[in-house]
Structure formats: C-alpha cells, structure tokens
Amino acid sequence: YYKTMENKFLIKLMFIGDSTVGKTSLIFRYVHGIFNEMYLATIGIDFKKRTIELQGKNLTIQLWDTGGQERFHSITQSYYRSAMGIFLVYDVTNPNSFCNVEKWMKNIEQSAKEDVVIFLLGNKADCIETRRVIKDVGKAKAAELNLDFLETSAKTDKNVKKAFEEMTKKVMAKI
Ligand code: GDP
Ligand code: MG
C-alpha cells in the first residue's frame, strides 16, 4: 500500500497547530531551503513534496500544510486519516499556541490512525527576547503526551532537517 515501486516509498506527513506558529515556514525551509518573513495565511490545506534518499531507499515525502482556522476544521479532518506522521507545532513566543496543544491532540485522537507518529515542535526557538515557553516545559508536555519533541527555527534552520529525518525514520520503521 505505501510502497509504490521497488525501493520507492511514499511518506505522508501533516502539519497542524495554531495559525502563525510557523507550519508553512518550516515546510518552506525544508523544501526550498529558505525563510521568507512575509506572512501568507494558508487557506484550507496546501501540499508540497520533496524526494530524498534514506538508507538506500527513494522516499517521496508528501507534506500537507493546514490552515489553523476553525472554519477549515472539517476539510482538515479528512487528511488526518491518511497521515503517517504528524508535526504538531506551537510557537515558543505564544503561550496560547502551547495551551492549544491538548486541543490539537484531541483532533489527532479522533481522526488520525492509531499508530501515527507524532512530533511536538516548539518553533521560533531563535526568538530569545520574546520567548514565553521555556524548553523544559515543552519537553515535559511532550513526555506527558508520549510524543517526540524538538525545538526548531524555520528562520535559522535549527533542527528542521533533524525533525524531518527523525520523523521519516520512525515512519519508515513502521512500514
Ligand atoms: P503558519 O500559519 O503556522 O503556517 O505560520 P507561517 O509559517 O505563515 O509563519 C507565521 C509568521 O511567523 C511569519 O511571519 C513567519 O515569518 C514567522 N515565523 C515562522 N517561523 C519562524 C521562526 O522559526 N522564527 C521566527 N522568528 N519567525 C518565524
Ligand atoms: Mg500556513
């Protein structure tokens, strides 16, 4: 089912989390290698892909980017089903986005596959002055919810590649 051809694999990953936490920027950084300050709200759901080689296998990574707005909730729900990995993103400068992690987890529990791999990402780790959620608090929340955890920055590229690599490896281990 996941295996399209000999040695070729299709990995479906999804990004969720409140608006403006940096979901689109993280995807953009990973796919195009750049950071764009301009804010373009994601409407509904958007899609990008990147092919990589991992342990001699050719992987096509599909990235589903969602708009965090409630009005797109129903569209998004249908994508949870096919996701093999989910990045749940909050913004370390925005405590509200961190509080909403539990709310997003409920969506995952309701709609995603039971064995989906979930990473909690605390994004905008480059923001030292404006940080409001310390790393240990994010880490503790991830431990409580039994999720993998990383702090990232789409701006400085901190842990972006690492997040995708660790996610991909975990997903591949389940195929
Ligand atoms: P989304 O709504 O979750 O897709 O968020 P966006 O990717 O559109 O980003 C929202 C805003 O946050 C934009 O102005 C981005 O430039 C900014 N942003 C995203 N990631 C980072 C980051 O890692 N560091 C900083 N300083 N700003 C970021
Ligand atoms: Mg977006």
Side-chain angles (χ1 to χ4, degrees), residues 104-158:
W104 289 106
M105 276 305 289
K106 288 206 177 74
N107 285 352
I108 294 175
E109 279 155 21
Q110 272 173 26
S111 309
K113 281 198 268 283
E114 215 165 290
D115 68 340
V116 70
V117 181
I118 309 163
F119 271 69
L120 182 64
L121 302 182
N123 191 45
K124 307 196 189 180
D126 59 281
C127 298
I128 293 156
E129 308 268 294
T130 50
R131 178 192 279 267
R132 301 274 307 278
V133 184
I134 63 168
K135 189 177 174 181
D136 282 349
V137 169
K139 214 179 202 172
K141 175 62 71 185
E144 177 197 325
L145 297 168
N146 211 5
L147 313 176
D148 285 278
F149 175 73
L150 281 172
E151 281 199 343
T152 56
S153 169
K155 187 171 183 173
T156 65
D157 207 8
K158 180 192 165 124

Side-chain angles (χ1 to χ4, degrees), residues 13 15 26-27 30 52 61 63 87 150 159-169:
L13 307 180
F15 279 75
L26 285 166
I27 293 173
Y30 183 65
I52 60 160
I61 304 180
L63 301 164
F87 287 110
L150 281 172
N159 282 342
V160 176
K161 191 164 173 242
K162 187 174 180 188
F164 278 94
E165 272 182 11
E166 287 188 5
M167 168 65 92
T168 307
K169 279 183 189 153

Side-chain angles (χ1 to χ4, degrees), residues 53-114:
E53 218 185 280
L54 185 81
Q55 293 151 348
K57 299 181 177 87
N58 292 309
L59 315 182
T60 297
I61 304 180
Q62 279 190 355
L63 301 164
W64 295 95
D65 185 11
T66 63
Q69 306 92 330
E70 275 305 318
R71 67 200 151 109
F72 299 115
H73 197 68
S74 59
I75 314 174
T76 311
Q77 292 296 313
S78 55
Y79 287 89
Y80 279 86
R81 269 274 124 209
S82 61
M84 298 151 82
I86 296 177
F87 287 110
L88 202 180
V89 188
Y90 68 91
D91 170 354
V92 300
T93 71
N94 177 352
N96 204 38
S97 74
F98 181 70
C99 289
N100 283 332
V101 164
E102 303 244 354
K103 188 198 83 181
W104 289 106
M105 276 305 289
K106 288 206 177 74
N107 285 352
I108 294 175
E109 279 155 21
Q110 272 173 26
S111 309
K113 281 198 268 283
E114 215 165 290

